[in-house]
Amino acid sequence: MLFSENFKIAIRALRANKLRSGLTMLGIIIGVAAVVALMSVGNGATASITGSISNMGTNLVSISPGTDEGFGETSAAPSYLYLSDYERLEKQLKGLNSITPVYQSGYDVTFGKSSHSIAVSGVFENYLDVNAYKIAVGQKITNAHNNTQARVAVLGSKAAKDLFGKLDPVGEVIKINNISFTVIGVLQEKGSSGFFDPDSIVLVPLETGYAKLFGAEASHNSKPLVGQISMSVVNAEGINNVMRQAEYLLRREHKLDPTEKKDFSLSNQRDFLATLDTVTQTMTIFLGSVAGISLLVGGIGIMNIMLVSVTERTKEIGLRKAVGAHKNQILVQFLIETLVISILGGVLGILLGIGVGFIVKYTGLLTPQIMPSHIALAFFFSLAIGLFFGIYPAYRAANLHPIEALRYE
Amino acid sequence: MIQAQDLMKVYQMGDSEVGALNGASFTINKGEMVTIMGPSGSGKSTLMSIIGCLDVPSSGSYVLDGVSVENMDESKLAEIRGRKIGFVFQQFNLLARTSALENVMLPLTYAGVSGKERSDRAFKALERVGLGERTHHAPNELSGGQQQRVAIARALVNEPAILLADEPTGALDSKTGVEIMELFQSLYQDHGQTVILVTHDSYVARHANRIIKLSDGNIVSDEVNKNPIKAGTPRAEE
């Protein structure tokens, strides 16, 4: 007996009960759509986060105060990173491209009537190089500005837009915490990285900051503090070497025994990226699994309906056997019915999932990545569900005794 | 055509065994029209199942058209049913929402016949039962008598050795019943078709040339009916 015959029989049986077939299929459609949509959204999120982080460069190392021994531990004493630490590293650490200290604090920044709370960073000249910022208009903060404690500021692109709208900020005077600064430049846009907006910043010379802006908070034991030391290494492959060296130098600077825990933490983008990748991938798999469970429920729905259908059509099965149908022909007939439901449901679900992906894209939240592998996965999963949950009802139908089936009322 | 020897059928009911057929022996020749008659519980349904190869006897031998059937497995039995037996049931058992032609094509489909040959043969079978005009009607668009004709066409389409009819008029009014009995008689008389009727109704039974009576699983009589009722003769008061 030809496959096409069985296929026709299956289609006829499904059409005979359109509502029921539709509802059964809906279980698979929703399951598959959820798998496709969630996995593509998950992958889109991963790609946008890792993409923007790797934009910052994989040869970056940053040093922050505090231990990195884990979230659970609270250090007994607060730990600090000093400007002198930066000076030590700047003089003695080999293999560096550039290095910069940063001290960051949030202030109200005003121009005319517009006022915004923006992160203000005190920086040295190298800051732009290390963090891959470029000047769009005007000039950057130089060592000369630091030496003279000049009250100048460079605005991030978003900060400039927020404060000035379409006006040209260069040459204008803004007030940071009520202290006047002259805008000398605006940075090129970098794009959001998901965690913080690198365009919503104001840069000022670090020395100016210590002298006029940051106040007593920015020093400890009369030594100026920094929030972070960032550096880029010449050779990304040798980054671990540089980090070991930096740790050795800072341990000496902080007078720590080799056995003592360090009171600063070193991190590089590459490690961070790897960790983040694992996290987001776990997240994607988790989302996919949750969606997979709904697909499983859909499969159970199929099995339920097929069992009902076999019972309802017992007499038909008896007749088919009486006129010469083999066991296997009955098995195939019912299996094809389930497969039609699950495959058609799978295809519709994939389309719906892609549709959801496009809706998410148009909301502008993020760009989902619909990967052929996800579609293939969802498709084969729904096929497998159809086979798995279809085989038992079909087996029951095939093994009905012809006489009992014919007599069934 | 049929040689049955000591057919026994025992059903397991819980712990005890119930004999539905206790050793039936008979021979039916090609071209005969035979009634198997008996009240319900007499074993006639069991006998019909065995003759129709829907079931196998617990013991005894059964040779159908030269083929020994008693030890066949399920799939062989299905093949025999498809090739040699044409079933007609009391409730017609047509597939709903399926045209008369497609219903008649069903046995051919399972026998591996396809394409034009299949539809031609199905069409001819429908013509034989007088339904050449209504081949594309679904069962719910046909009267009871017409539905039974479709069922008979379905039974004939594979040119079976035996036409096996189980209470074929049981669900029809008497006038339509007569038409169906006429059809059976003409198939037997004009085409030499072997017909086996299974019924509890002695009026229907007496349309055949030979009547086998069953009671409690035993054949109690097997007699030639010298004066079969011609279909259409009114039912006599009994």
Side-chain angles (χ1 to χ4, degrees):
Chain A
M1 186 164 170
L2 290 167
F3 175 82
S4 65
E5 297 287 344
N6 264 320
F7 189 73
K8 260 196 253 168
I9 293 171
I11 294 292
R12 176 176 289 146
L14 295 177
R15 284 174 60 157
N17 255 312
K18 287 198 192 72
L19 180 66
R20 188 202 277 179
S21 309
L23 289 174
T24 312
M25 214 179 281
L26 200 60
I28 294 293
I29 293 175
I30 291 173
V32 170
V35 169
V36 171
L38 287 179
M39 289 192 78
S40 62
V41 165
N43 264 60
T46 308
S48 93
I49 292 169
T50 54
S52 60
I53 285 170
S54 53
N55 268 349
M56 296 178 194
T58 49
N59 61 341
L60 289 187
V61 177
S62 56
I63 304 168
S64 316
T67 66
D68 57 0
E69 308 289 319
F71 291 111
E73 301 197 13
T74 45
S75 46
S79 44
Y80 301 100
L81 212 54
Y82 301 97
L83 190 61
S84 54
D85 292 337
Y86 157 76
E87 282 156 359
R88 162 77 69 136
L89 292 176
E90 202 258 331
K91 270 189 208 105
Q92 297 188 349
L93 196 54
K94 293 186 186 74
L96 290 184
N97 229 346
S98 51
I99 179 165
T100 181
V102 189
Y103 185 92
Q104 192 171 61
S105 193
Y107 293 104
D108 283 335
V109 181
T110 52
F111 173 72
K113 280 179 182 159
S114 112
S115 173
H116 290 268
S117 176
I118 302 176
V120 177
S121 294
V123 298
F124 281 175
E125 184 168 338
N126 278 345
Y127 182 83
L128 297 194
D129 286 346
V130 173
N131 290 289
Y133 279 109
K134 288 198 172 63
I135 287 287
V137 285
Q139 51 167 311
K140 62 180 183 178
I141 287 164
T142 61
N143 291 337
H145 290 130
N146 269 290
N147 293 339
T148 57
Q149 296 181 0
R151 287 191 299 185
V152 294
V154 171
L155 305 182
S157 62
K158 183 164 186 297
K161 204 173 287 170
D162 286 347
L163 289 169
F164 290 93
K166 285 177 183 161
L167 296 175
D168 180 8
V170 176
E172 302 289 345
V173 175
I174 57 171
K175 288 197 165 171
I176 303 172
N177 206 21
N178 277 328
I179 300 159
S180 300
F181 284 80
T182 307
V183 178
I184 57 166
V186 177
L187 299 173
Q188 275 181 15
E189 191 177 333
K190 245 188 155 186
S192 174
S193 72
F195 294 121
F196 66 96
D197 189 344
D199 297 321
S200 184
I201 56 164
V202 173
L203 303 180
V204 298
L206 184 59
E207 297 293 359
T208 316
Y210 286 138
K212 313 228 154 89
L213 191 59
F214 300 142
E217 266 179 38
S219 68
H220 185 250
N221 293 341
S222 317
K223 287 166 74 184
L225 294 172
V226 296
Q228 199 177 48
I229 300 169
S230 305
M231 51 204 177
S232 62
V233 300
V234 175
N235 179 2
E237 309 304 312
I239 197 162
N240 289 331
N241 238 333
V242 175
M243 285 170 74
R244 268 197 297 277
Q245 252 193 75
E247 182 178 343
Y248 171 76
L249 289 171
L250 281 182
R251 274 182 175 278
R252 272 188 37 195
E253 183 73 18
H254 287 199
K255 298 185 178 68
L256 295 172
D257 285 346
T259 52
E260 254 179 301
K261 277 182 192 167
K262 58 185 192 293
D263 58 356
F264 55 90
S265 66
L266 292 138
S267 65
N268 73 52
Q269 298 289 358
R270 203 187 272 184
D271 290 349
F272 184 50
L273 209 61
T275 313
L276 202 67
D277 228 32
T278 322
V279 170
T280 50
Q281 233 150 61
T282 310
M283 197 64 189
T284 305
I285 290 168
F286 172 74
L287 288 176
S289 314
V290 170
I293 289 170
S294 74
L295 196 49
L296 203 67
V297 173
I300 294 169
I302 290 192
M303 176 142 126
N304 192 11
I305 287 299
M306 287 312 291
L307 283 173
V308 171
S309 174
V310 167
T311 307
E312 271 185 359
R313 286 153 69 192
T314 300
K315 258 197 136 147
E316 177 196 321
I317 294 162
L319 173 87
R320 286 180 184 277
K321 288 195 155 193
V323 300
H326 287 234
K327 210 168 152 171
N328 290 344
Q329 290 171 323
I330 302 288
L331 185 89
V332 169
Q333 179 195 330
F334 278 88
L335 205 52
I336 286 179
E337 267 185 46
T338 354
L339 286 181
V340 166
I341 291 182
S342 62
I343 291 176
L344 201 59
V347 170
L348 291 176
I350 287 168
L351 294 179
L352 183 65
I354 293 173
V356 169
F358 272 105
I359 292 171
V360 171
K361 188 178 174 182
Y362 280 114
T363 60
L365 241 52
L366 53 85
T367 309
Q369 283 194 334
I370 297 158
M371 315 226 297
S373 63
H374 294 162
I375 291 176
L377 182 77
F379 183 78
F380 282 113
F381 199 23
S382 67
L383 189 76
I385 290 261
L387 266 179
F388 182 77
F389 288 107
I391 202 95
Y392 176 65
Y395 177 83
R396 277 249 297 236
N399 280 297
L400 284 173
H401 195 283
I403 309 168
E404 280 155 26
L406 277 166
R407 284 196 197 133
Y408 183 85
E409 293 299 334
Chain B
M1 181 63 52
I2 287 177
Q3 283 123 31
Q5 196 66 45
D6 286 325
L7 291 182
M8 306 257 284
K9 185 68 186 178
V10 179
Y11 291 110
Q12 195 75 35
M13 300 283 247
D15 288 340
S16 59
E17 290 183 336
V18 178
L21 212 54
N22 307 317
S25 302
F26 57 91
T27 302
I28 294 174
N29 295 312
K30 189 170 165 44
E32 274 194 279
M33 182 160 174
V34 184
T35 298
I36 293 171
M37 203 189 138
S40 63
S42 62
K44 67 179 193 300
S45 295
T46 306
L47 185 56
M48 189 206 83
S49 303
I50 293 171
I51 292 174
C53 298
L54 290 166
D55 206 351
V56 287
S58 306
S59 69
S61 78
Y62 174 37
V63 178
L64 168 67
D65 205 16
V67 183
S68 186
V69 177
E70 69 265 11
N71 291 320
M72 281 191 169
D73 64 12
E74 248 193 84
S75 111
K76 280 266 173 50
L77 283 175
E79 213 171 301
I80 292 279
R81 286 197 294 269
R83 290 217 317 267
K84 296 192 186 292
I85 313 280
F87 286 98
V88 178
F89 302 99
Q90 181 173 0
Q91 298 296 338
F92 327 136
N93 284 18
L94 298 177
L95 298 184
R97 293 175 291 268
T98 306
S99 73
L101 191 69
E102 282 177 288
N103 263 294
V104 175
M105 281 180 351
L106 195 64
L108 295 174
T109 305
Y110 286 118
V113 181
S114 60
K116 189 154 162 37
E117 189 194 345
R118 184 172 62 175
S119 51
D120 283 353
R121 278 171 67 177
F123 188 75
K124 285 210 183 81
L126 280 166
E127 277 188 326
R128 266 174 85 180
V129 300
L131 279 178
E133 312 277 290
R134 314 194 72 97
T135 54
H136 292 290
H137 289 65
N140 60 350
E141 299 162 331
L142 296 169
S143 71
Q146 287 170 330
Q147 289 186 47
Q148 193 60 302
R149 280 165 192 272
V150 174
I152 292 169
R154 180 179 65 194
L156 291 172
V157 76
N158 261 345
E159 286 153 18
I162 301 168
L163 190 59
L164 190 57
D166 182 13
E167 303 278 8
T169 59
L172 301 172
D173 61 61
S174 59
K175 184 171 163 290
T176 323
V178 163
E179 285 169 21
I180 294 299
M181 289 316 294
E182 254 173 357
L183 182 58
F184 279 122
Q185 281 190 330
S186 99
L187 288 170
Y188 149 72
Q189 280 162 0
D190 307 341
H191 302 276
Q193 174 70 54
T194 312
V195 178
I196 299 176
L197 288 174
V198 180
T199 184
H200 69 281
D201 183 339
S202 68
Y203 168 75
V204 172
R206 281 185 281 121
H207 284 73
N209 302 61
R210 178 177 162 195
I211 299 172
I212 296 173
K213 282 188 178 157
L214 277 177
S215 179
D216 294 332
N218 295 303
I219 294 180
V220 290
S221 75
D222 182 352
E223 289 168 347
V224 173
N225 181 18
K226 286 196 182 98
N227 296 308
I229 300 172
K230 193 176 174 332
T233 311
R235 194 181 270 261
E237 293 299 319
E238 284 168 31

